Amino acid sequence: MDPLEAYSAAVTRAVEIAGPCVVHIDVSRGRGARSDSQRPYPDSRSGLGSGVIVSAGGMVLTNDHVVQGAGRIHVGVHDGRSFEGLVRGRMPRHDIAVIHVEADNLPAVVFRDSESLKVGELVVAIGNPFGLRWTATAGVVSAIGRSIRLGRNLVLEDLIQTDAAINSGNSGGPLVDIHGRVVGINTAVLAGTQGIGFAVSSRVAQEAVRGIEKRGGTIGAWLGVWGEPAQIDPALAARLGLSEARGLMVLHVAPGSPAAHAKIEILDLICAIDGDPVPDANELKKRMGTRTPGETLLLTILRGDAVFERNVTLSPLPSS
């Protein structure tokens, strides 16, 4: 087969498989609600977005910023039907949300583990750019493991970079491989550029869906500290009964944050959360990503040569 014909056939097959699982989302914002225009989302103000069906019983995966501040949500499926959607849960830390619609026997996507992706692979973004429903754009995986800082308090991590066009209305739609398997959820573009779009990896998206299905509500909470790993003198750690001779040294405490209310100070070492060691900032982020606002944690703190414990009640992740 001619290479161009093979390319065309691969894209066509991917769209035929995944396309019927893609939905159009139309959101009416609640009074006073707004999206942060400084974020690199192509459709933060439009009220239009995309999503992908993840279960035959009506579970739809999309971006959190698509449904943020939503009053009413209308979900249009490929066969022309329209349903009212209800937000089942949100994970702002990963820009993921799950909507439920009252429908049965819907076509659901198949996920592929994004860990197996390689730079240069052909991928297809499917969605509803500018309200033009069920549009496909093709490109390649440009890079993996990217991060985007959306503000001082929020960083999207483990993103797939692609040159497949992602425009306003594409957010929440799937990025699929040539077999129509979802490898990412389209989320953002780099302002002022062409051909630099990002998708939340399927690994992160599936973890978020599992968390939302298990717990519901908003998942992902805020402690309000930044720091770096620090070693503790092994003799001191042994004398104080610490399980590990390392912790997270606090370098900044956000004013008004849960950590500030708990009187956590700069140069404190967070040694454990609920008794489990916290060796670095990644571990802390991971823990916060699975918690819900209002939960109370027990922090074990080393200050100087004294160890003490503090209860901290978590708050929602700030929007900026």
Side-chain angles (χ1 to χ4, degrees):
M1 182 184 291
D2 179 85
L4 288 178
E5 289 181 353
Y7 174 87
S8 178
V11 172
T12 300
R13 181 177 62 215
V15 174
E16 287 175 345
I17 294 170
C21 308
V22 178
V23 303
H24 172 264
I25 297 176
D26 191 349
V27 174
S28 302
R29 304 287 182 196
R31 178 175 294 180
R34 66 179 182 85
S35 294
D36 186 348
S37 61
Q38 297 304 308
R39 295 186 177 189
Y41 301 136
D43 42 18
S44 59
R45 293 179 178 270
S46 69
L48 299 175
S50 304
V52 63
I53 301 165
V54 296
S55 78
M59 301 299 287
V60 176
L61 179 62
T62 187
N63 286 147
D64 180 68
H65 78 263
V66 170
V67 300
Q68 184 184 22
R72 299 189 69 178
I73 301 171
H74 293 281
V75 178
V77 298
H78 199 264
D79 62 10
R81 291 179 295 166
S82 182
F83 302 93
E84 188 162 346
L86 179 67
V87 177
R88 173 76 178 272
R90 301 171 52 219
M91 191 173 276
R93 185 178 295 275
H94 296 304
D95 194 28
I96 290 295
V98 172
I99 301 170
H100 183 258
V101 299
E102 291 293 337
D104 295 315
N105 300 317
L106 294 176
V109 292
V110 174
F111 284 92
R112 170 185 165 187
D113 185 359
S114 53
E115 294 290 307
S116 65
L117 269 183
K118 290 182 172 55
V119 173
E121 275 195 57
L122 176 63
V123 286
V124 181
I126 307 175
N128 306 281
F130 304 105
L132 301 172
R133 302 186 180 190
W134 292 282
T135 298
T137 55
V140 299
V141 174
S142 305
I144 55 178
R146 294 296 201 204
S147 298
I148 298 178
R149 179 170 291 279
L150 303 182
R152 190 173 189 180
N153 302 319
L154 183 59
V155 177
L156 287 183
E157 298 178 320
D158 196 15
L159 299 175
I160 299 164
Q161 180 182 329
T162 179
D163 65 350
I166 297 174
N167 294 294
S168 181
N170 268 120
S171 287
L175 186 71
V176 303
D177 67 8
I178 60 172
H179 302 291
R181 300 172 298 185
V182 174
V183 297
I185 300 299
N186 302 318
T187 183
V189 294
L190 201 58
T193 67
Q194 291 184 343
I196 301 182
F198 298 93
V200 179
S201 71
S202 63
R203 181 187 64 81
V204 168
Q206 286 181 282
E207 286 177 1
V209 170
R210 286 192 290 267
I212 289 169
E213 288 182 331
K214 181 178 178 182
R215 308 176 74 169
T218 299
I219 299 176
W222 190 48
L223 179 59
V225 299
W226 293 266
E228 62 182 25
Q231 293 297 124
I232 303 170
D233 179 72
L236 176 62
R239 180 165 64 82
L240 297 174
L242 298 173
S243 61
E244 289 199 22
R246 56 180 178 162
L248 180 70
M249 179 179 287
V250 176
L251 299 179
H252 177 77
V253 180
S257 68
H261 290 309
K263 302 191 184 310
I264 305 301
E265 298 179 0
I266 292 174
L267 300 185
D268 282 350
L269 263 73
I270 301 176
C271 302
I273 295 178
D274 292 337
D276 296 321
V278 182
D280 54 41
N282 284 336
E283 184 62 29
L284 178 65
K285 270 195 258 186
K286 223 183 271 185
R287 300 282 185 84
M288 294 304 102
T290 60
R291 302 285 185 161
T292 55
E295 277 192 73
T296 298
L297 307 179
L298 182 65
L299 300 185
T300 302
I301 306 292
L302 174 62
R303 182 178 295 168
D305 59 357
V307 170
F308 59 93
E309 293 180 330
R310 284 275 163 82
N311 286 308
V312 182
T313 301
L314 301 174
S315 65
L317 193 69
S319 60
S320 64

